Amino acid sequence: MSGDEKAAAAPRSLAEALRQRDDASLAALLRARPDLITPVPTDLTQLATRAGTRASVVRALERLDRFALQTAEALAVAGDPASYGELLGLMAGDDGDPEVAAALPRALGALRERALVWGADDRLRLVRTARELLAPSPQHPSPTGLGPTVQEATAGMSPGRIQEIVAAVGLPSTHDSVSAVASLTALFTDRERMSALLADVPADSLEVLDRLVWGPPYGQVTADPAPRLRLLLDRGLLLPTAPGTVVLPREVALHLRAGRAHRAPEPVPPAVTASATHTARVVDATAAGQAYTALATVEELLKDWDEGGPNVLRAGGLSVRDLKRTAVALDVPEPVAAFWVELAYAAGLLASDGEVDERYGATPAYDEWLELPPADRWARLAQAWLTATRTPGVVGDRDAKDRTLSALGPGLDRSAAPEVRHRVLALLASLPEGAAPDAESVLSRLRWERPLRGPQRTGDHDLRTRLARWTLSEAELLGVTGRGALSAHGRALLGERAGAGAGAGASAGAPAAGPAAPGTGAGTGTGTGTGTGTAAGAASDADAGRPGPDGLTAPGPGDKLPVHKHHPHHPTAEPPHDSAPPHVTAPPHDPTPAPAPLSPAEQAAATAAAARLLAPLLPEPLDHVLLQADLTAVAPGPLRRPLADMLGVLANVESKGGATVYRFTPASVRRALDAGRSAADLHAFLTEHSRTPVPQPLAYLIDDVARKHGHLRVGAASAYVRCDDDALLNEILADKRSAGLGLRRLAPTVLAAQADPGALLEGLRAMGYAPAAESAAGDVVIARADSHRTPPRTAPEPVPDGPPAPDTPLLSAAIRAIRAGDLAATAPRRPAAADPAADGEPPRTSAAETLATVQAAVLTGETLWIGYVNADGAASQRVIAPIRVEGGFVTAYDHTADEVRTYPLHRITGVAELAEEAAADPS
């Protein structure tokens, strides 16, 4: 291919670069940035415009790993455009770090796949919005710590002062400031001449430069600087930017850094290391035991709320007092209680009843859940936890309005939670079976995969680090992990694809399988991303990208063929391929990409597989207890549901663990009698389910409570007490403790009370009696448990983190629609008989043509002639130089008004390029 054909094939804009992609590459772009497809763009020009908007670029940058982000930051401080050799020099330094050189093709491929970088290897361009976000400025320092270039720092300096600096460094004077700045830049970028210049600088002045070299590059000086500072200012090694403020020029800093844009490039992901190793059998058994404990805890929570749980706060959620009561009832800390409450809510087992006096309670789904086998019950809880966006860890924090976040209340959704949980478990799955990870190594890996942009915060202040810590603790509570290691059923919960993806990096930071040639977009997951040329090209780029004696960077031989389709071909003058550097093959430290999230159907299948693995590990429910003479019963394991339910009414749980101890008391026996059981029923129940004889003290206790039970009857008068034994009523009236009940005798066997029946029942029971409530017909009212249920409620829907990832059918249909729209927009049109612009009328173009022309002018700096209609409907013609296009507006320098203005794109009736003579002199 001739040089002219290459130049013709080189894209001039991001839209043209997208047109050179094939369908697989466009699908990879839309999959990596799903916000670009919501809604589907009409053509590739609109897709390119949307890919350059600030919100979309910020979202894409936030999803880069640390090395890919460092590569984008290096491009932001490189020339525009930059060659691959220049980028390699900024990343690997003058010494050429082999790990950086090996990982750079993958990082550049990731940026190209996401349409953050476009252009051939000799003309790499970072999208304008990304450059604005990452380039250094006084208000927003660059993460690289670099300052402005010499040209930028001297923009407001007087020509005389520039000539003084040129003379001070031994350069010949020039006739204009532009050539003077160029010669100064050439000096600062020439390693040999710069070293000679710094050799004459005293040590105390060099110490000043060392303090600024890695950033921040700005410093404060007085009106009369010290001699060591004066020398640096005179030679241009420090340049003033404002009164009292100086800056270290970028070229000087890069020389002092040996060409590196970053102090510590991180091409290799941190290894996930093991802190302890257990046998797989111990891990699975421990996790299964904790899984059963999780089921028992959720059951205990909802059983405690069966007859009506705590009230709902007016603003929604559970009060601090009720959360403390729940924590005491479950015998766990408050944060753990919040986790169990939120887990039951996420699984649809708990909700508010929606009544006037709104309370929390179990849903009808809870009764269905209780009928499932234990493994299936656990699987439902685990799936709800894995996919929920509600985050119990933030309970107690403050929201944006300084209000306390409460359990079950609003404001607990964190969209990143499901992704972080999946990724943490996948990293645990990458370790050998039975290996418990070091928590800090997991957090370091996550921070590498999703680094924080802006000032790097330390500690656990960022949300992803907190989510990861909560995931490790919650997985242990739920039985997904055992002794810190991922269990077999925990691995199954991730699904086959996630397990395979995690297993590829079993040695924590091991390379992904498969070739990763620089021209094939290694590491992007599609095999079609644009790379950086062959190995020979990389070697030539490194030489071509180095500054020459004049300070200008010679362009490399980068490929200009359609990207994502062909491997680059380089001129025959380049070195042969067998002399190529080693990064022609897969980078040895290519990080394993995070597995894609499972679809609902895949997640359901994975959950069912996890339940099948867990089922044999759970203990079989027992149908017996061991009764003891001290009025206790020992359940040596989990009990079958009818036995557990009845025993929970007849006795109180005294202790839990491997075995559960129940204690029989007069109050617990009376509770069973209130539920409609007779003394004979209780004796028969204990005889049937006890492996030991019923102790005599327990039999006496049941008979004694039953003898007194129902002897007193309480009904509604407001309330009354009825008893056939008038002596007993006399005893009650004489008791001082009954004064608060307001009792008075109506008949020899009837007492009336001012208290309501419920308060009267509790008062008499507190006095040691065993009253029974009766209905208006005189029958005993049986108080049954499990009586309160909310109306049917659905589980809360997760709040997604942006648009959902498109599936394959949607991607195929969207790409076909975009291709068709682009074909219609770019089809050649028959030339008009007369050019309307020649008659002095405003140009007329379609919206797509207007947008494409303005976008191209932003990149090329061309001047345009537009027709514009203002809000009053008045049409006018203007000559503008577009600066930025974003959010439906074009910001441009208006030559007609001689100022920068912003125009809505929908008010531009058309646009035309000016002739060369007119563009040279718009006035």
Side-chain angles (χ1 to χ4, degrees), residues 750-806:
V750 180
L751 297 180
Q754 296 178 1
D756 61 83
L760 183 57
L761 280 170
E762 294 299 325
L764 292 175
R765 286 170 181 170
M767 294 168 62
Y769 300 101
E774 73 175 9
S775 65
D779 300 324
V780 175
V781 176
I782 297 175
R784 297 186 181 275
D786 305 336
S787 58
H788 184 75
R789 288 292 180 268
T790 70
R793 295 281 191 267
T794 58
E797 290 292 332
V799 178
D801 184 16

Side-chain angles (χ1 to χ4, degrees), residues 23-381:
D23 289 353
S25 178
L26 286 180
L29 167 62
L30 298 177
R31 191 176 289 110
R33 298 176 65 179
D35 56 298
L36 300 183
I37 203 175
T38 309
V40 177
T42 57
D43 54 29
L44 288 172
T45 299
Q46 189 179 83
L47 177 63
T49 302
R50 193 176 295 174
T53 59
R54 185 182 183 88
S56 181
V57 170
V58 168
R59 182 182 293 273
L61 291 175
E62 289 175 346
R63 281 156 177 74
L64 295 175
D65 62 53
R66 177 158 294 166
F67 188 65
L69 183 59
Q70 287 181 332
T71 303
E73 293 165 354
L75 277 173
V77 298
D80 188 20
S83 68
Y84 180 74
E86 181 181 357
L87 175 62
L88 180 61
L90 288 171
M91 295 300 297
D94 296 341
D95 298 333
D97 188 336
E99 285 189 341
V100 172
L104 187 58
R106 178 201 61 82
L108 187 59
L111 295 175
R112 274 175 155 155
E113 180 187 81
R114 291 161 173 80
L116 295 172
V117 170
W118 59 277
D121 292 346
D122 59 342
R123 296 183 64 82
L124 296 173
R125 291 184 182 272
L126 191 66
V127 295
R128 181 179 295 269
T129 307
R131 180 174 290 273
E132 292 173 353
L133 290 169
L134 300 177
S137 67
Q139 295 77 21
H140 303 284
S142 169
T144 61
L146 293 171
T149 63
V150 173
Q151 181 181 0
E152 294 168 346
T154 58
M157 190 176 294
S158 65
R161 177 58 183 149
I162 295 176
Q163 295 296 337
E164 291 176 3
I165 295 175
V166 169
V169 295
L171 296 175
S173 60
T174 61
H175 297 289
D176 59 273
S177 299
V178 175
S179 57
V181 170
S183 63
L184 192 62
T185 302
L187 169 64
F188 289 166
T189 53
D190 188 306
R191 294 290 187 262
E192 294 183 1
R193 292 196 292 163
M194 189 63 179
S195 298
L197 176 64
L198 292 176
D200 297 334
V201 177
D204 56 349
S205 296
L206 289 177
E207 191 268 337
V208 174
L209 297 181
D210 290 339
R211 289 164 57 187
L212 300 176
V213 65
W214 291 108
Y218 294 91
Q220 301 295 321
V221 297
T222 62
D224 185 16
R228 61 174 183 169
L229 296 176
R230 173 59 62 188
L231 182 143
L232 298 176
L233 290 169
D234 290 343
R235 299 189 180 188
L237 298 176
L238 290 180
L239 294 174
T241 59
T245 303
V246 295
V247 68
L248 181 67
R250 187 181 305 171
E251 294 84 354
V252 177
L254 286 174
H255 176 84
L256 296 173
R257 297 179 177 194
R260 286 184 181 271
H262 296 87
R263 171 177 282 185
E266 300 184 52
V268 181
V272 179
T273 58
S275 61
T277 303
H278 313 280
T279 63
R281 182 177 180 180
V282 169
V283 170
D284 291 346
T286 304
Q290 189 57 46
Y292 189 85
T293 302
L295 296 178
T297 304
V298 173
E299 289 182 37
E300 184 179 356
L301 167 69
L302 294 176
K303 186 180 295 184
D304 187 51
W305 290 7
D306 262 342
E307 298 180 9
N311 290 323
V312 180
L313 293 175
R314 183 178 301 175
L318 199 64
S319 68
V320 175
R321 180 186 304 172
D322 289 328
L323 181 60
K324 290 181 178 179
R325 289 174 179 169
T326 302
V328 171
L330 298 180
D331 194 20
V332 295
E334 290 177 34
V336 178
F339 166 71
W340 293 120
V341 169
E342 284 289 339
L343 179 63
Y345 178 60
L349 309 179
L350 175 66
S352 61
D353 56 14
E355 302 293 337
V356 176
D357 185 17
E358 195 170 13
R359 307 175 71 88
Y360 288 109
T363 64
Y366 170 63
D367 298 315
E368 300 174 3
W369 179 76
L370 287 177
E371 300 302 322
L372 296 175
D376 292 341
R377 281 188 279 141
W378 176 87
R380 180 166 175 180
L381 294 179

Side-chain angles (χ1 to χ4, degrees), residues 460-858:
D460 293 346
H461 297 294
D462 64 287
L463 178 61
R464 289 180 64 85
T465 297
R466 298 174 69 195
L467 287 172
R469 289 193 181 277
W470 294 331
T471 297
L472 292 173
S473 60
E474 291 169 1
E476 192 75 16
L477 287 173
L478 194 54
V480 177
T481 59
R483 299 195 177 185
L486 192 64
S487 62
H489 50 274
R491 292 176 187 271
L493 197 63
L494 297 175
E496 294 182 0
R497 288 194 291 123
S507 59
T520 59
T524 61
T526 63
T528 57
T530 310
T532 58
T534 61
S540 60
D541 278 357
D543 294 334
R546 288 197 174 95
D550 57 353
L552 301 178
T553 302
D559 174 41
K560 296 183 180 180
L561 290 174
V563 295
H564 297 275
K565 296 181 180 180
H566 307 283
H567 292 285
H569 298 284
H570 293 271
T572 56
E574 295 304 317
H577 290 282
D578 55 10
S579 64
H583 74 272
V584 69
T585 57
H589 300 288
D590 187 18
T592 303
L598 300 179
S599 66
E602 291 172 332
Q603 186 62 67
T607 304
R612 289 193 295 271
L613 289 175
L614 177 63
L617 303 176
L618 294 176
E620 287 293 331
L622 304 177
D623 61 352
H624 65 274
V625 295
L626 305 176
L627 295 178
Q628 302 186 103
D630 60 349
L631 298 181
T632 61
V634 177
L639 301 177
R640 291 183 179 178
R641 183 150 311 282
L643 173 59
D645 291 343
M646 183 59 201
L647 198 58
V649 176
L650 181 58
N652 299 324
V653 176
E654 188 169 79
S655 65
K656 293 180 289 186
T660 304
V661 178
Y662 295 85
R663 177 164 296 278
F664 300 93
T665 66
S668 67
V669 174
R670 184 179 63 244
R671 185 171 62 232
L673 296 173
D674 287 342
R677 302 284 182 169
S678 64
D681 295 335
L682 299 182
H683 285 298
F685 169 79
L686 294 175
T687 302
E688 177 184 358
H689 293 288
S690 176
R691 289 289 179 90
T692 59
V694 178
Q696 190 179 49
L698 179 57
Y700 284 173
L701 174 65
I702 294 174
D703 292 339
D704 185 54
V705 173
R707 188 180 308 111
K708 298 177 182 179
H709 183 266
H711 199 50
L712 293 176
R713 300 291 184 90
V714 175
S718 141
Y720 64 86
V721 180
R722 182 171 65 84
C723 181
D724 294 335
D725 186 357
D726 56 348
L728 182 58
L729 295 182
N730 291 333
E731 180 183 339
I732 294 174
L733 285 173
D735 196 324
K736 293 182 179 180
R737 292 175 294 174
S738 67
L741 300 177
L743 298 175
R744 60 187 178 86
R745 189 184 294 273
L746 294 182
T749 58
V750 180
L751 297 180
Q754 296 178 1
D756 61 83
L760 183 57
L761 280 170
E762 294 299 325
L764 292 175
R765 286 170 181 170
M767 294 168 62
Y769 300 101
E774 73 175 9
S775 65
D779 300 324
V780 175
V781 176
I782 297 175
R784 297 186 181 275
D786 305 336
S787 58
H788 184 75
R789 288 292 180 268
T790 70
R793 295 281 191 267
T794 58
E797 290 292 332
V799 178
D801 184 16
D807 54 16
T808 301
L810 176 58
L811 284 176
S812 300
I815 291 173
R816 286 196 302 269
I818 294 172
R819 293 282 191 199
D822 195 64
L823 180 62
T826 58
R829 287 164 173 76
R830 182 177 301 176
D835 185 3
D839 298 331
E841 296 294 329
R844 295 282 181 175
T845 56
S846 66
E849 291 172 335
T850 299
L851 184 59
T853 305
V854 174
Q855 288 275 22
V858 170

